[in-house]
Amino acid sequence: MTALHDLSAPDLVAAYRSRQLSPVEVMQSVLDHAERWEPHLQATYLLRPDAALAQARASEARWQQGAPLGPVDGVPVTIKDNIATQGDPTPLGTAAVALTPAAADAPPAARMREAGALLWAKTTMPDYGMLSSGLSTFHPLSRNPWDLRKGPGGSSAGGGAAAAAGYGPFHVGTDIGGSLRLPASWCGIFSLKPSLGRIPIDPPYTGRAAGPMTRTVQDAALMMQVLSQPDARDTMSLPPQDIAWHAFDRGTEWLRGVRIGLLLDAGCGLPVDAEVRDAVENAARLFEQAGAVVEPMQPFLTRTMLDGMDHYWRMRSHVDLQALPPAQRDKVLPYIRTWADSAANMSGTEVFQASHQFYLTRIATVRACSAFDYVISPVAPITAFQAEWPSPTNDPLRPLEHIAFTVPFNMSEQPAASVPCGFSRAGLPIGLQIAGPRFDDLGVLQMSRAFEHLRGPMRAWPEPPSAAAAQ
């Protein structure tokens, strides 16, 4: 029998509607399960059982009255640290930020709360979200449930670990260069980085997106129904659109004739591990066997593009850090300070040239993808790396070598998902990236769901070490 904390969101909602389950029972199961995992994972921030159960009792009363607030009433959800929740501090993963209570929920938190979801914990992230790891000067070090020696990825570190560990069905993260998809790949879960503006966010800026982190496409589609509702605070948001998120599952017959580009060389960055390449090539064969037309793609991201984006982000972070009082600046992770301060002597011309690479990346990505309906690739060139390292290279002057497959789709504003496609010999998950044309978020979900059909069942989810030892 499936444990309550492992049930999908649609199953939970159906059970609430039929009075077979109560949100209180489910929330207690999630809390109990998280209590077993948290000493090992350290995935949560502001985990407050009493407040969670109070929300659950309110949801239970609404279901008893036949008056749920929305399609996810009573479903547990975690929210990433950097997405503001009213009355709570937003530390951004760093000890350098003052712990000032937020005046209001940010749009993703507001949408989930308005729809009745149970916001029971925030999740961890690294300093300012500028690492693909769970290393933080504010939060304890987060780890990967598949192998506690490894990190969950980042910057949506806690969300990835929490989803894989079974902390309920819903988790909300953010992504500016791969921060949803990288932890999804390394934790063996699903995530969608939507088209820019599809999910309102505050503050909005180029490349930044919020998105679902779930175990299945089905749960992510239900989250999109809620998260994509409009919010005027996002000045870059897309016009409200009635998207048939419930139509995420078209089976596999429709894949016949779909043109898929296969990108196995990002053009720069770390080389692709043989096991990662094999898993993605196997995914391509499954699509071909279903009738899709898969063609190899040439790399389109250049070293100049990746370095330019890196150097611009260094300067932005350098300016931000210089604005802090020295005592606060000294609290920032040394790796981040070294990375940011390396831009101190950049000229205005160099900063402009660096910023121009965002535009050139956008143009190159859209042009390369235009010949295909969808593009598949590795999410990351490697599997999860050791938890204590801030990045796979452990080098602040080579910090972005692992994001060459993911960052182009932030700059082109295209939707891109990570869906599990295999495991390494060491038992570490490998993610397949599926990217689609701008605005085709539903199509990317449909492609991802089709791949779930083709791939078949995953391995059993990891269990807390104490529970595993008892079996």
Side-chain angles (χ1 to χ4, degrees):
M1 183 176 179
T2 303
L4 299 187
H5 59 80
D6 281 331
L7 289 173
S8 71
D11 284 347
L12 290 177
V13 171
Y16 298 157
R17 183 174 291 112
S18 65
R19 308 285 180 90
Q20 292 179 314
L21 281 178
S22 159
V24 177
E25 296 174 89
V26 173
M27 190 68 257
Q28 188 63 63
S29 176
V30 170
L31 290 169
D32 291 344
H33 188 66
E35 184 177 19
R36 291 189 290 270
W37 260 120
E38 271 302 275
H40 310 285
L41 294 187
Q42 304 284 4
T44 62
Y45 166 58
L46 296 181
L47 195 169
R48 293 171 290 201
D50 290 346
L53 291 171
Q55 293 179 65
R57 286 191 290 271
S59 175
E60 179 184 60
R62 291 192 294 270
W63 280 108
Q64 288 174 344
Q65 296 163 8
L69 287 177
V72 298
D73 203 329
V75 179
V77 61
T78 71
I79 306 286
K80 188 177 176 181
D81 161 351
N82 66 342
I83 298 174
T85 48
Q86 186 175 20
D88 299 324
T90 309
L92 306 179
T94 179
V97 169
L99 298 181
T100 304
D105 286 335
R111 298 296 86 76
M112 296 305 290
R113 198 187 302 274
E114 291 162 0
L118 310 180
L119 279 64
W120 66 277
K122 304 292 286 286
T123 49
T124 60
M125 61 182 283
D127 285 51
Y128 295 107
M130 294 310 296
L131 299 175
S132 293
S133 77
L135 189 61
S136 164
T137 55
F138 181 82
H139 301 296
L141 178 64
S142 300
R143 296 181 180 272
N144 192 317
W146 293 97
D147 183 340
L148 295 173
R149 297 168 297 178
K150 306 295 184 180
S155 63
S156 302
Y167 289 22
F170 284 172
H171 309 273
V172 183
T174 63
D175 188 316
I176 191 176
S179 290
L180 284 164
R181 289 157 290 161
L182 291 165
S185 176
W186 291 328
C187 291
I189 64 166
F190 178 78
S191 186
L192 172 69
K193 180 210 74 68
S195 300
L196 183 71
R198 177 67 70 206
I199 294 176
I201 196 168
D202 183 31
Y205 49 82
T206 300
R208 187 177 191 227
M213 306 182 81
T214 61
R215 287 181 167 185
T216 65
V217 176
Q218 179 187 40
D219 280 339
L222 183 53
M223 288 185 76
M224 289 302 295
Q225 180 180 336
V226 174
L227 292 171
S228 61
Q229 296 302 307
D231 194 299
R233 289 174 288 177
D234 187 345
T235 55
M236 302 174 76
S237 63
L238 298 175
Q241 188 176 355
D242 185 14
I243 296 174
W245 300 111
H246 63 277
F248 69 93
D249 191 347
R250 296 176 61 190
T252 60
E253 287 298 316
W254 70 279
L255 292 173
R256 294 188 178 279
V258 170
R259 299 167 301 160
I260 299 176
L262 174 60
L263 182 66
L264 292 171
D265 179 358
C268 54
L270 294 173
V272 178
D273 281 358
E275 289 180 301
V276 173
R277 185 184 184 97
D278 289 347
V280 172
E281 288 181 329
N282 181 64
R285 284 192 291 272
L286 292 175
F287 277 119
E288 282 187 315
Q289 291 166 10
V293 179
V294 180
E295 297 179 8
M297 291 178 66
Q298 295 300 309
F300 54 85
L301 188 73
T302 67
R303 169 56 59 183
T304 300
M305 291 173 186
L306 186 61
D307 286 348
M309 291 184 283
D310 175 18
H311 293 159
Y312 178 84
W313 281 330
R314 293 186 199 202
M315 178 55 79
R316 186 192 70 177
S317 295
H318 174 69
V319 171
D320 289 344
L321 294 186
Q322 289 303 303
L324 294 174
Q328 294 302 107
R329 188 164 61 244
D330 289 345
K331 295 180 181 180
V332 176
L333 194 73
Y335 182 102
I336 296 284
R337 296 203 310 269
T338 300
W339 170 74
D341 290 346
S342 68
N345 295 321
M346 286 179 67
S347 68
T349 298
E350 289 171 324
V351 174
F352 171 78
Q353 290 172 340
S355 70
H356 188 53
Q357 299 308 312
F358 290 97
Y359 170 74
L360 295 180
T361 300
R362 176 192 182 97
I363 296 301
T365 306
V366 173
R367 182 183 297 123
C369 295
S370 63
F372 305 100
D373 298 311
Y374 299 96
V375 169
I376 62 173
S377 73
V379 174
I382 61 171
T383 54
F385 57 96
Q386 66 188 70
E388 293 80 8
W389 281 17
S391 72
T393 61
N394 199 26
D395 181 351
L397 302 184
R398 295 178 58 235
L400 304 185
E401 298 298 297
H402 56 292
I403 71 168
F405 285 106
T406 53
V407 71
F409 299 107
N410 292 80
M411 299 311 126
S412 67
E413 305 184 14
Q414 294 171 244
S418 175
V419 59
C421 67
F423 288 85
S424 71
R425 285 185 293 275
L428 295 172
I430 297 169
L432 174 73
Q433 181 169 246
I434 300 177
R438 190 177 176 210
F439 311 133
D440 190 19
D441 305 77
L442 179 58
V444 170
L445 288 180
Q446 291 169 337
M447 278 286 290
S448 300
R449 178 57 183 145
F451 181 71
E452 286 182 332
H453 286 299
L454 298 175
R455 181 201 65 202
M458 283 270 290
R459 296 184 183 182
W461 293 101
E463 292 291 337
S466 57
Q471 291 178 356

